[in-house]
Amino acid sequence: MKLLFIGHSGPRNLGGIARTAQLVKQNLELLGWEVEFGRCRRPPRGPYKADVVWVYGETDKIPEILRAASCPVIINMPLTHTKQRFERSVALFDSWKHPRLYMGTFTHGTAARHSRLLALPKQIRSPAPGLPFAQRKNIFLGDLAKNRRPALVGGFDVDKFCALARARVPQAELVFVEQYTGHRVAAPKHARVIPYTDTLMEALATYRTMCSLVAGETFAMIPAEAQACGTPVIYRHMPQSLTEYFGHSAVCARDEQDMADWLGMIYNDEAEWTAWSGAGINNARAYNGAQALSSILKKVALHG
């Protein structure tokens, strides 16, 4: 079967859409699919010769894409936990009136909110488990620019958390990466910023803990990839993604103080760290993302 994936797929794109595009292609081709890429700003001309079209990136070309597609079309919708954003997305979706049009989201919890929503599992890279407790150090906090966006952190005080974390683990560095910005964003007083490199995924296996401070992303791939290499993850409630994906294999913190308390306990206690590290590795190994995506797309193509 053939999938036309319309999104940011070029190698120069650092964001999650480009990485997802490459993982979708890699995983589905191993399962016998043919995957073709199209660009959001200039979608391929129709009619499309595909079994399913998946529009993953934001584009104003949706009507044009729908006219060119005789097969099912899935639109990846920005369904975060905010009610207003969800309602705007659904209203736009309903206005297109395509008979075989679906919305794609990442969890069954969000998919249950509309009759034409599909829970499409996120494709996540699963690196090999990393170093043992004694050979790891420091705390990874993700992208600095994202952690400075109020819409993503949703009232969480990043500077307050960094101060609390420093008090709990004074021997560790708090590390942000500069990935999504071309200019410098002010880092918290107690943190260090490193440049983004292609070896970031391998570096995740050297940190003792990751704290994911954002709650407004549609998914957040890096915490899931960190967990796969045995790095315990402490994150904020994300019903649109990580909460369902992690279950009890990672720690969901309520606020800055709660996250700092959990961090101190896991970072400093080898038995606690080993338990959460092992739970994360097992969760990643059990994840059936590639086969599940293939089967769901096949079912949509054949039966709607």
Side-chain angles (χ1 to χ4, degrees):
M1 307 195 84
K2 181 175 179 178
L3 170 69
L4 172 58
F5 185 101
I6 298 177
H8 311 305
S9 56
R12 293 183 180 180
N13 290 295
L14 300 179
I17 294 176
R19 292 175 56 216
T20 293
Q22 298 300 325
L23 285 169
V24 166
K25 181 177 176 65
Q26 171 187 313
N27 292 346
L28 290 184
E29 286 182 345
L30 289 173
L31 295 170
W33 282 77
E34 178 184 353
V35 179
E36 177 185 343
F37 288 143
R39 291 187 293 176
C40 288
R41 294 182 180 178
R42 290 186 178 180
R45 293 184 177 182
Y48 297 151
K49 295 180 180 179
D51 297 290
V52 183
V53 175
W54 190 0
V55 184
Y56 203 90
E58 292 187 16
T59 177
D60 59 359
K61 306 294 185 181
I62 297 296
E64 177 184 325
I65 292 169
L66 295 178
R67 286 194 297 270
S70 58
C71 62
V73 178
I74 302 168
I75 311 292
N76 205 63
M77 302 297 276
L79 301 174
T80 61
H81 63 294
T82 59
K83 181 179 178 182
Q84 295 82 1
R85 194 176 185 190
F86 175 80
E87 290 176 345
R88 286 198 302 269
S89 298
V90 170
L92 184 61
F93 171 84
D94 289 340
S95 73
W96 288 319
K97 300 184 184 303
H98 187 280
R100 301 190 72 188
L101 179 63
Y102 301 88
M103 288 187 286
T105 184
F106 297 122
T107 65
H108 294 287
T110 48
R113 298 168 69 183
H114 193 282
S115 61
R116 299 185 73 79
L117 255 169
L118 299 173
L120 300 174
K122 186 76 168 180
Q123 301 304 288
I124 298 168
R125 192 180 136 188
S126 295
L131 299 172
F133 175 85
Q135 296 178 37
R136 291 178 181 240
K137 62 181 182 179
N138 299 334
I139 301 139
F140 187 69
L141 300 176
D143 178 63
L144 177 60
K146 286 187 175 183
N147 281 282
R148 286 307 198 194
R149 288 182 58 188
L152 294 182
V153 296
F156 189 91
D157 189 329
V158 173
D159 294 272
K160 177 182 178 180
F161 165 73
C162 288
L164 291 168
R166 184 71 173 172
R168 288 285 184 271
V169 283
Q171 74 276 29
E173 284 191 324
L174 305 171
V175 181
F176 290 96
V177 65
E178 196 171 48
Q179 180 176 358
Y180 286 98
T181 179
H183 58 278
R184 182 159 297 280
V185 177
K189 177 181 178 182
H190 304 282
R192 181 167 68 92
V193 181
I194 62 173
Y196 177 84
T197 69
D198 292 337
T199 60
L200 176 62
M201 294 302 101
E202 288 72 22
L204 289 174
T206 68
Y207 288 96
R208 190 174 289 182
T209 315
M210 177 175 182
C211 292
S212 182
L213 313 184
V214 299
E217 287 192 271
T218 51
F219 192 86
M221 294 173 70
I222 289 181
E225 292 168 333
Q227 186 192 65
C229 61
T231 304
V233 175
I234 308 169
Y235 72 103
R236 295 176 59 212
H237 182 44
M238 295 179 69
Q240 73 276 15
S241 60
L242 293 184
T243 301
E244 187 169 303
Y245 172 79
F246 282 149
H248 286 289
S249 66
V251 175
C252 185
R254 295 187 305 272
D255 53 32
E256 299 91 343
Q257 185 67 61
D258 193 42
M259 183 173 282
D261 291 343
W262 274 106
L263 173 63
M265 188 168 75
I266 293 173
Y267 193 96
N268 294 317
D269 187 324
E270 184 171 359
E272 284 284 342
W273 184 92
T274 301
W276 287 105
S277 176
I281 291 170
N282 290 336
N283 185 59
R285 286 175 176 169
Y287 187 56
N288 191 35
Q291 182 59 57
L293 178 64
S294 174
S295 297
I296 292 167
L297 294 178
K298 182 178 180 180
K299 193 265 183 184
V300 168
L302 294 177
H303 306 294

